[in-house]
Amino acid sequence: MSDAIRHRLTPLEKSERRLGFAMLAPAFLLLAAVVLYPIAELIRNSFHFNHLAQPWMGTPFVGFENYVKALGDDRFHEAVLHTVLYILVTVPGAVVIGLGLALLANQPFRVKWPVRLGLLLPWALPLVFAGLIFRWFFEYNQGIANAMLRGLGLEPLNWLTSPGLAFFAICLAIIWKSSSFVALVLLAGLQTIPKSFYEAAEVDGATKWQQFREITLPMLRPAIFVALIFRTITAIQTFDIPYAMTNGGPGNSTETLAMYIHKTTVDFLDLGYGSALAVLMFIVSAVITSLYLRHTRRDPGRH
Amino acid sequence: MTSRFTRRMAARLGLAAGLALAGAAYAQAQTTLRIFTGGQQRPDVMRQIVDGYMKANPTVKVEVEVGGATSEQQQQYLNTVLASKDSALDLILIDVIRPAQWAAAQWAEPLDAYLGAEKDAIMARYLPAYRAANIVNGKVIALPYFADAQFLYYRKDLLEKHGLQPPKTWDELKAAAQKIMAAEGNANLRGFETAGAPIEGTVCTYLVPLWGSGEDMLKDGKLNLAGDAAKKPFQLWADLKAANVTPPNLAEIPTDRIRQNMQAGNLIFGMTWGYVWNRLQNDADSTVKGKIGVVPLPGFTADKQATCIGGWQVAVSAFSKNKAEAAKLARYLSSPEVAKQQAILASHLPVFPGVYTDAEVLKANPWFEQALPVVQSARSRPVTPRYTEVSEIMRTNMNAFLAGTKTGDQALGDMTNRLGAIFR
Amino acid sequence: MAGIEIAKVVKAYGSVPVIHGIDLSVRDGEFVVLVGPSGCGKSTLLRMIAGLESVTGGTIRIGDRVVNDLPPRDRDIAMVFQDYALYPHRTVAENVGFGLRMRGADAMTIEKKVKEAAEILQITHLLDRKPGQLSGGQRQRVAMGRAIVRDPKVFLFDEPLSNLDAQLRAEMRVEIKKLHQRFGTTIIYVTHDQVEAMTLADRIAILKAGHVEQFATPDEVYRRPRSTFVARFIGSPSMNIVPARIAPDATTITLDGDAAVPAPASFARARGRDVLLGLRAEHLGLAGPDGVPARTVIVEPLGSDTLALMQIGRVEMTGRFPPAAPLRAGGDVTLRLDLEQAHLFDPETGLAIV
Amino acid sequence: MKLLRNRRAMIILAGLIVAANGFFPALWILFTSFKTEVELMRVPITIIPQAPTIENYIRVFVDQPILRFLFNSVVVAVLSTLLCVTCSALAAYALVRLRLPGAGIILSVLLAIAMFPLISMMVPLFQVMRDLGLLNTWWALIFPHAVLSMPVCTLVLISFFQDIPRDLENAAMIDGCTRLGALWHVVIPLTAPGVFTAGILAFVNSWDEFLLALTLSPRVASRTLPVGITLYQGEFSFPWPIISAALIVAIVPICIVIAIFQERVVSGLTSGGVKG
């Protein structure tokens, strides 16, 4: 009997559901039109040998060979390691800085646009150019970083040609660029927190820090989650900034997974292997994202 | 009142006439060819050239499509278009390092059939390095459009001032640089720069000294980096760095920084491409006008001097729907007349030795006289369908070495390992 | 205007049933209050009438139309929500006029009707404000304005007064009653407050765990509760319900094995049975020496009268006494139990024994 | 009084920090755009241009049809933003409010799309656009750009839609709205900051996008700004002063967009009272 209840949808529910799917339709139609075929191709390619510079080899099916090759590829390992390091540094970095910027920008300014603009400019600057600008800042002779060191009477540093410093410089650029996006999302979140909460806390004698911990942070959780998940996905795909700043150098010491995929497919024309790398990268992203999603689904803290 | 009316009337008539003309041109043009060129290969000059061609061949309409400025961007686009076997492009300007790859990928239509019996005669007219670069496995893959090479740029004024001759060996270069730097006492003045960033030019930073020792990277298609000669480039750059002739940040120097430093008067010797001469000579802000000379790059001994070639070729797309017409246009673009036109309009180095000595060309580019022997001594980077991988291996290892993250032996070892997998 | 016919209505979330077959027939123009403790399904039932919840089984008719599958907008109803649900980005006038606008009324009509409604509710001076600038009572009036302006067949109220303080609540209760008298529209009103239910309703439906316990006039549910549940729920203070036993000859009733009190003749209907005896506070009184001895536990003077908790043998009962009654906590008194007015319930089922 | 003034000062300081963080590279670009290359190469470096020149700006407008690029970028960014926000809002609403079976899976699929590296999809993407006949039209960029931003927009909108009390929509539906009507009349206006945030995200993503623009829309007539700007650079050379000037030209429209929208957003916010 209870089964009968469960499985019968009333016409009203049916029409709600129909409406729901109809509302999802535009998004999925767009996705299907644009990326369905490319993704299918990508996955198909990853199981084939397909090297455009060696067309005489044909495109035979090779099963998991490309994947096996990746597992034994030192350069792939290094690229993964670098990517993970970038994620570990720049994601929390951007969230912390972004949160700071959002809090600062959420003050009752009389003139708001310079602040808004300052918040958005890093993000409005195309990635490649942000990378190039920071490369210039860290340039040995004409860079601001070394100019300051010289001004302090210190020896100039080889920012972009020693692996540790280059990593630092790149992280700085990425954080600068991406904290803007984080700040934007968090600012929007901050503005939905009712003032009355703070007034109540104020009355209760909470310090600013306590208000931040007890009201702002919990209320910001959904926004922080959105920012985190996207910052992580984009961090996994880190490409333009290290590409512009060091092109992966010195050696391959700042090369990321996305850069290696780019090189493999665009420069080396090895579509098969490149596709396998891309699928691996996708799997890693998917795992991380699903962890995020599961974490938030468990989260009872909403409202 | 009337004047406004007549003006409007005239404008209408003009528009009508324009439409009529356009219509007529459309009716006549039976073939449309689209040629792809990078933003930096002077598309404006290309347009002038094809305008001339269209006047002579009224049944052909040629559109010039300008791609991204850098060869990276062009490659990104071209790879996508050609991997999709798209017929949108008929002719494509490609870098001299590409013909082998294009031949292998079957993106370029071999031109032998279109050249017919004249093939050998036509190919014989080019500088030997370009003839070699464009014939892959006996097939003509592309026709040279204009030449380029790395030169040793030097400060004529400073060398003369200190009684020095342009160096023929690396030792002479080092000695000259040290002497001038010591004597000038200018903290900003550097002895020598070459590309050290992980970019294509850095491949030559390894190859030029290798050639300068009399060896080559490949011998009969097999990797030839086992001998002592393979270590020499590393030793050379380590030596120059230790002697303070090269700057500490060599590993971050891209091609154009050499030109900028030279132009600012901060560099005695620079190893870089042909475009630099014009800039040094003609830019309003150049501090070294008339003070620059070019010679071939040094060797370890004077008889082993060698230079990297560059330059651009016209290939016919294998997916073109008008291959015969395209091949005709390619032949035109790769003719001495066009080479001369380019030399005068764009200072592009000709691919025909004879054009260098043409009076009009020399009048526009007096330095071509010095450039000719350099270009004639120029050599090709390894010819292989997987050149991009080869290049990438060489430049990253060279860059790591220059940055000091790998020793010469490590860099050479890694290089040999990975190159070995390609040249099996 | 229209009546509402609810027949065998069932609601389940997944396989969990929350409403098990409710029948309710609301007459045209009637003011019906759904009352019950939280979780009894009263709000769910209201939302099913509104079309905000789907109907798992049974039928709901408004007028002579089965509305089960009609979306809310087609049911010609208006609803006032517990938290008012005013559109914060619109002014009061826009809020009130929104429903008319959505139904394609022209601007003139909207303005006229909004004005009328505002005058009735005395919110004319607020028309240009946004909800954020209003007090709770004002918002309540706006929410009602939004409902009446459309002149719907049925008004639905979902605990509309629960966010207001006691005084405002009493005030608004009167307003709502006035509105009903003025428009005569059928109203279904959900509350958990029995005072609201008693004061407002023509008929009250008392819900318990997904079914209707009793559906009758306030007087009826007060005087003839169908079960201990209803008896306890309606009336303040709650009805005293104590275990008792009626003698086999029905002449006496024994409260929890203790004092035997003479039973009225009507108790014969339960002779010899264990029962639950229900007695409202006002049916306890002070008596002479022949009364039932009791001890005063707590005294609550209310001004108009005084409530006192009495210990009678082993049971406690609350009584309502005149303000001047000589009561003090801990004092001994004798009581008169007006058993003619008492209710008898079956201890097993809790149902009234009639 | 003193406390008040201090508070004012603190607020201004906060604003300055945010502005400085965002502006310093932009200022560097601005200054560089008025320098000559020789000055840029000078050691020690200069910050403020010593001999300002507008030559670079002249070159920007003379060398390339930058106004055309600007126009293309605006059209592509605006249309892809509208498309993206519309699709995302509908999807987000369906996922939040209409108890759909498998909503979690649908959301995951949507997010997964964002995780495929674009670089490795260029060839098939090109083929799709060619087969649709869209190459070198604005649409070749509008559709992929909209897809690119859709996951983030959807997630942002979901987080905002969840905050709207259901009864507001119920009230609207009883007042005569359809679901879509309630979304349009009530939910969207109330989540204006979220919709704006999503819109700005989509707009800037499109405005910055380089790789697709380079490949799918390579002809001058449909080329967008980021690709156009790289045309000022040479095979070897990177003329910072001119490119800086071009970047300034590219950034200004974004600033205008922000300035225009910012008032609207702020007013959307202060009307508030959703939870009050």
Side-chain angles (χ1 to χ4, degrees), chain A residues 55 75 139-140 251 266-267 269, chain B residues 79 101 104 252 257 388 392:
Chain A
R75 191 160 168 193
E139 216 266 354
Y140 186 81
V266 174
D267 291 348
L269 299 176
Chain B
N79 287 350
Q101 183 193 324
E252 74 174 4
R257 188 58 42 82
T388 42
E392 206 270 343

Side-chain angles (χ1 to χ4, degrees), chain A residues 112 116 187-188 191, chain D residues 189-197 200 257-272:
Chain A
K112 288 201 170 63
R116 252 343 118 83
L187 183 63
Q191 288 169 335
Chain D
L190 286 180
T191 49
V195 174
F196 170 78
T197 305
I200 264 280
V257 168
I258 294 165
I260 291 173
F261 275 90
Q262 104 108 13
E263 272 312 308
R264 186 161 298 181
V265 176
V266 171
S267 67
L269 290 178
T270 46
S271 65

Side-chain angles (χ1 to χ4, degrees), chain C residues 205-262:
Chain C
I206 296 127
L207 273 72
K208 180 191 172 192
H211 66 261
V212 178
E213 192 79 1
Q214 186 168 8
F215 181 40
T217 61
D219 183 59
E220 176 100 358
V221 293
Y222 187 81
R223 291 196 301 113
R224 280 197 285 279
R226 260 198 69 225
S227 65
T228 51
F229 178 81
V230 175
R232 286 204 184 94
F233 199 85
I234 299 294
S236 173
S238 234
M239 184 188 281
N240 300 300
I241 294 176
V242 298
R245 187 179 174 80
I246 297 172
D249 60 358
T251 52
T252 57
I253 178 166
T254 316
L255 299 180
D256 200 21
D258 204 29
V261 184

Side-chain angles (χ1 to χ4, degrees), chain A residues 51-56 75 135-136 139-140 158 160-161 163 243 246-247 249-252 262-263 266-269, chain B residues 72 75-76 79 83 101 104-107 198 248-249 251-252 254 257 385-386 388-389 392 396 399-400 403 405 418:
Chain A
H51 198 307
L52 291 182
Q54 295 163 280
W56 59 88
R75 191 160 168 193
R135 167 169 161 189
W136 191 271
E139 216 266 354
Y140 186 81
N158 273 311
L160 298 177
T161 54
Y243 179 77
T246 62
N247 198 5
N252 296 321
H262 180 260
K263 272 201 179 127
V266 174
D267 291 348
F268 307 161
L269 299 176
Chain B
E72 290 268 357
Q75 207 184 323
Q76 167 76 53
N79 287 350
Q101 183 193 324
Q106 293 159 8
W107 287 349
N249 63 329
E252 74 174 4
R257 188 58 42 82
R386 295 171 72 180
T388 42
E389 282 168 85
E392 206 270 343
T396 46
N399 169 256
T405 61
R418 293 193 49 211

Side-chain angles (χ1 to χ4, degrees), chain A residues 212-246:
Chain A
F212 174 74
R213 292 249 345 237
E214 301 300 325
I215 301 170
T216 311
L217 269 189
M219 296 290 292
L220 265 188
R221 259 159 96 165
I224 290 179
F225 160 68
V226 172
L228 262 183
I229 195 166
F230 276 93
R231 192 64 268 288
T232 310
I233 291 176
T234 46
I236 294 169
Q237 305 198 2
T238 301
F239 176 78
D240 304 65
I241 285 181
Y243 179 77
M245 285 179 77
T246 62

